[in-house]
Amino acid sequence: MLNLINRSDDGLTRAELPAGLRHHVDSSVTDSVADDLTGRGWLAEGRDQRLRLTEEGSAALATLWERVPQTLARIRAGFSDAEYVQLINLLRRVVDNLDGHSDLD
């Protein structure tokens, strides 16, 4: 969500969030995530109802990006490159089987 809002030219409304996050987050939780990030001081909602990153949010996003290589290394630990590619392809098939939806109804 922080990345999505950061890449927008003028912030996003809560109604615009689900479309931008449809492959990453179930749309039923976008409001609660936005509330959490606002509560942390990472997002601010203007009078125009657009969410924008605060200075704290920009700093948090930068810190998160700094941690990506370490996190990816932990995820990949014990997997050969071929096994990791196979795992990602299998997970993509699972998502495709669910038509990109996490609900099982």
Side-chain angles (χ1 to χ4, degrees):
M1 186 174 290
L2 293 174
N3 276 326
L4 179 66
I5 293 171
N6 188 51
R7 287 191 308 257
S8 67
D9 290 332
D10 194 31
L12 295 172
T13 65
R14 289 173 182 262
E16 294 169 328
L17 289 174
L21 296 170
R22 70 183 171 278
H23 297 295
H24 308 288
V25 177
D26 187 272
S27 62
S28 66
V29 301
T30 55
D31 275 337
S32 62
V33 172
D35 288 342
D36 179 60
L37 295 174
T38 301
R40 291 176 188 225
W42 294 2
L43 293 178
E45 192 165 2
R47 281 189 241 167
D48 59 359
Q49 298 181 328
R50 300 188 81 71
L51 293 162
R52 294 175 182 87
L53 266 68
T54 62
E55 286 184 36
E56 293 87 357
S58 293
L61 182 58
T63 299
L64 291 169
W65 274 112
E66 289 172 7
R67 293 179 182 170
V68 167
Q70 293 170 304
T71 302
L72 187 55
R74 288 180 62 199
I75 291 169
R76 292 187 66 158
F79 289 99
S80 69
D81 288 345
E83 288 172 325
Y84 183 74
V85 168
Q86 183 179 19
L87 173 63
I88 296 302
N89 287 332
L90 289 169
L91 291 172
R92 284 182 179 146
R93 284 175 48 196
V94 169
V95 170
D96 288 345
N97 288 345
L98 297 173
D99 294 325
H101 300 288
S102 62
D103 60 345
L104 300 175
D105 297 336

